PDB file of all heavy atoms in Angstrom:
ATOM      1  N   LEU A 163      -3.743  20.551  21.306  1.00  0.00           N
ATOM      2  CA  LEU A 163      -4.785  20.605  20.289  1.00  0.00           C
ATOM      3  C   LEU A 163      -5.785  19.470  20.497  1.00  0.00           C
ATOM      4  O   LEU A 163      -5.472  18.447  21.110  1.00  0.00           O
ATOM      5  CB  LEU A 163      -4.154  20.515  18.899  1.00  0.00           C
ATOM      6  CG  LEU A 163      -3.174  21.633  18.556  1.00  0.00           C
ATOM      7  CD1 LEU A 163      -2.493  21.344  17.225  1.00  0.00           C
ATOM      8  CD2 LEU A 163      -3.890  22.979  18.496  1.00  0.00           C
ATOM      9  N   PRO A 164      -7.011  19.601  19.965  1.00  0.00           N
ATOM     10  CA  PRO A 164      -8.042  18.570  20.178  1.00  0.00           C
ATOM     11  C   PRO A 164      -7.862  17.356  19.271  1.00  0.00           C
ATOM     12  O   PRO A 164      -7.114  17.386  18.295  1.00  0.00           O
ATOM     13  CB  PRO A 164      -9.337  19.320  19.834  1.00  0.00           C
ATOM     14  CG  PRO A 164      -8.917  20.348  18.826  1.00  0.00           C
ATOM     15  CD  PRO A 164      -7.540  20.776  19.238  1.00  0.00           C
ATOM     16  N   GLY A 165      -8.606  16.303  19.588  1.00  0.00           N
ATOM     17  CA  GLY A 165      -8.662  15.108  18.753  1.00  0.00           C
ATOM     18  C   GLY A 165      -7.316  14.434  18.546  1.00  0.00           C
ATOM     19  O   GLY A 165      -6.515  14.310  19.471  1.00  0.00           O
ATOM     20  N   HIS A 166      -7.074  14.023  17.310  1.00  0.00           N
ATOM     21  CA  HIS A 166      -5.821  13.356  16.959  1.00  0.00           C
ATOM     22  C   HIS A 166      -4.761  14.328  16.452  1.00  0.00           C
ATOM     23  O   HIS A 166      -3.673  13.899  16.059  1.00  0.00           O
ATOM     24  CB  HIS A 166      -6.080  12.287  15.888  1.00  0.00           C
ATOM     25  CG  HIS A 166      -6.885  11.128  16.395  1.00  0.00           C
ATOM     26  ND1 HIS A 166      -6.335  10.088  17.106  1.00  0.00           N
ATOM     27  CD2 HIS A 166      -8.214  10.860  16.290  1.00  0.00           C
ATOM     28  CE1 HIS A 166      -7.283   9.212  17.416  1.00  0.00           C
ATOM     29  NE2 HIS A 166      -8.430   9.656  16.946  1.00  0.00           N
ATOM     30  N   LEU A 167      -5.057  15.613  16.473  1.00  0.00           N
ATOM     31  CA  LEU A 167      -4.102  16.598  15.981  1.00  0.00           C
ATOM     32  C   LEU A 167      -2.764  16.571  16.727  1.00  0.00           C
ATOM     33  O   LEU A 167      -1.716  16.778  16.103  1.00  0.00           O
ATOM     34  CB  LEU A 167      -4.714  18.000  16.037  1.00  0.00           C
ATOM     35  CG  LEU A 167      -5.796  18.283  14.996  1.00  0.00           C
ATOM     36  CD1 LEU A 167      -6.461  19.626  15.258  1.00  0.00           C
ATOM     37  CD2 LEU A 167      -5.203  18.249  13.596  1.00  0.00           C
ATOM     38  N   PRO A 168      -2.756  16.318  18.050  1.00  0.00           N
ATOM     39  CA  PRO A 168      -1.456  16.244  18.731  1.00  0.00           C
ATOM     40  C   PRO A 168      -0.521  15.194  18.137  1.00  0.00           C
ATOM     41  O   PRO A 168       0.696  15.385  18.103  1.00  0.00           O
ATOM     42  CB  PRO A 168      -1.844  15.887  20.172  1.00  0.00           C
ATOM     43  CG  PRO A 168      -3.203  16.452  20.346  1.00  0.00           C
ATOM     44  CD  PRO A 168      -3.868  16.245  19.005  1.00  0.00           C
ATOM     45  N   GLU A 169      -1.071  14.081  17.628  1.00  0.00           N
ATOM     46  CA  GLU A 169      -0.240  13.045  17.012  1.00  0.00           C
ATOM     47  C   GLU A 169       0.422  13.573  15.746  1.00  0.00           C
ATOM     48  O   GLU A 169       1.593  13.280  15.463  1.00  0.00           O
ATOM     49  CB  GLU A 169      -1.094  11.820  16.687  1.00  0.00           C
ATOM     50  CG  GLU A 169      -1.765  11.194  17.902  1.00  0.00           C
ATOM     51  CD  GLU A 169      -2.802  10.160  17.514  1.00  0.00           C
ATOM     52  OE1 GLU A 169      -2.682   9.587  16.399  1.00  0.00           O
ATOM     53  OE2 GLU A 169      -3.734   9.926  18.302  1.00  0.00           O
ATOM     54  N   LEU A 170      -0.336  14.355  14.979  1.00  0.00           N
ATOM     55  CA  LEU A 170       0.194  14.944  13.749  1.00  0.00           C
ATOM     56  C   LEU A 170       1.282  15.968  14.071  1.00  0.00           C
ATOM     57  O   LEU A 170       2.360  15.966  13.465  1.00  0.00           O
ATOM     58  CB  LEU A 170      -0.939  15.606  12.960  1.00  0.00           C
ATOM     59  CG  LEU A 170      -0.561  16.315  11.660  1.00  0.00           C
ATOM     60  CD1 LEU A 170      -0.065  15.302  10.633  1.00  0.00           C
ATOM     61  CD2 LEU A 170      -1.754  17.087  11.111  1.00  0.00           C
ATOM     62  N   VAL A 171       0.998  16.817  15.040  1.00  0.00           N
ATOM     63  CA  VAL A 171       1.951  17.858  15.438  1.00  0.00           C
ATOM     64  C   VAL A 171       3.240  17.234  15.960  1.00  0.00           C
ATOM     65  O   VAL A 171       4.343  17.721  15.681  1.00  0.00           O
ATOM     66  CB  VAL A 171       1.313  18.780  16.496  1.00  0.00           C
ATOM     67  CG1 VAL A 171       2.371  19.633  17.182  1.00  0.00           C
ATOM     68  CG2 VAL A 171       0.252  19.667  15.859  1.00  0.00           C
ATOM     69  N   GLU A 172       3.113  16.162  16.694  1.00  0.00           N
ATOM     70  CA  GLU A 172       4.294  15.495  17.253  1.00  0.00           C
ATOM     71  C   GLU A 172       5.235  15.001  16.155  1.00  0.00           C
ATOM     72  O   GLU A 172       6.454  15.028  16.306  1.00  0.00           O
ATOM     73  CB  GLU A 172       3.855  14.321  18.132  1.00  0.00           C
ATOM     74  CG  GLU A 172       4.992  13.630  18.849  1.00  0.00           C
ATOM     75  CD  GLU A 172       4.517  12.509  19.750  1.00  0.00           C
ATOM     76  OE1 GLU A 172       3.293  12.416  20.000  1.00  0.00           O
ATOM     77  OE2 GLU A 172       5.366  11.714  20.201  1.00  0.00           O
ATOM     78  N   GLU A 173       4.660  14.563  15.035  1.00  0.00           N
ATOM     79  CA  GLU A 173       5.484  14.084  13.927  1.00  0.00           C
ATOM     80  C   GLU A 173       6.277  15.221  13.281  1.00  0.00           C
ATOM     81  O   GLU A 173       7.346  14.998  12.717  1.00  0.00           O
ATOM     82  CB  GLU A 173       4.597  13.418  12.862  1.00  0.00           C
ATOM     83  CG  GLU A 173       3.967  12.104  13.285  1.00  0.00           C
ATOM     84  CD  GLU A 173       5.004  11.012  13.489  1.00  0.00           C
ATOM     85  OE1 GLU A 173       6.005  10.991  12.744  1.00  0.00           O
ATOM     86  OE2 GLU A 173       4.803  10.191  14.402  1.00  0.00           O
ATOM     87  N   ILE A 174       5.753  16.442  13.370  1.00  0.00           N
ATOM     88  CA  ILE A 174       6.401  17.588  12.719  1.00  0.00           C
ATOM     89  C   ILE A 174       7.382  18.302  13.655  1.00  0.00           C
ATOM     90  O   ILE A 174       8.264  19.033  13.200  1.00  0.00           O
ATOM     91  CB  ILE A 174       5.323  18.581  12.212  1.00  0.00           C
ATOM     92  CG1 ILE A 174       4.383  17.867  11.224  1.00  0.00           C
ATOM     93  CG2 ILE A 174       5.939  19.796  11.527  1.00  0.00           C
ATOM     94  CD1 ILE A 174       3.192  18.700  10.775  1.00  0.00           C
ATOM     95  N   GLN A 175       7.258  18.077  14.938  1.00  0.00           N
ATOM     96  CA  GLN A 175       8.075  18.807  15.913  1.00  0.00           C
ATOM     97  C   GLN A 175       9.588  18.702  15.696  1.00  0.00           C
ATOM     98  O   GLN A 175      10.302  19.693  15.913  1.00  0.00           O
ATOM     99  CB  GLN A 175       7.709  18.394  17.329  1.00  0.00           C
ATOM    100  CG  GLN A 175       6.421  19.047  17.814  1.00  0.00           C
ATOM    101  CD  GLN A 175       6.043  18.690  19.231  1.00  0.00           C
ATOM    102  OE1 GLN A 175       6.649  17.807  19.841  1.00  0.00           O
ATOM    103  NE2 GLN A 175       5.040  19.368  19.766  1.00  0.00           N
TER     104      GLN A 175
END
Side-chain angles (χ1 to χ4, degrees):
L163 299 173
H166 292 279
L167 288 172
E169 300 169 25
L170 178 66
V171 165
E172 185 178 348
E173 291 293 325
I174 301 174
Q175 282 182 351

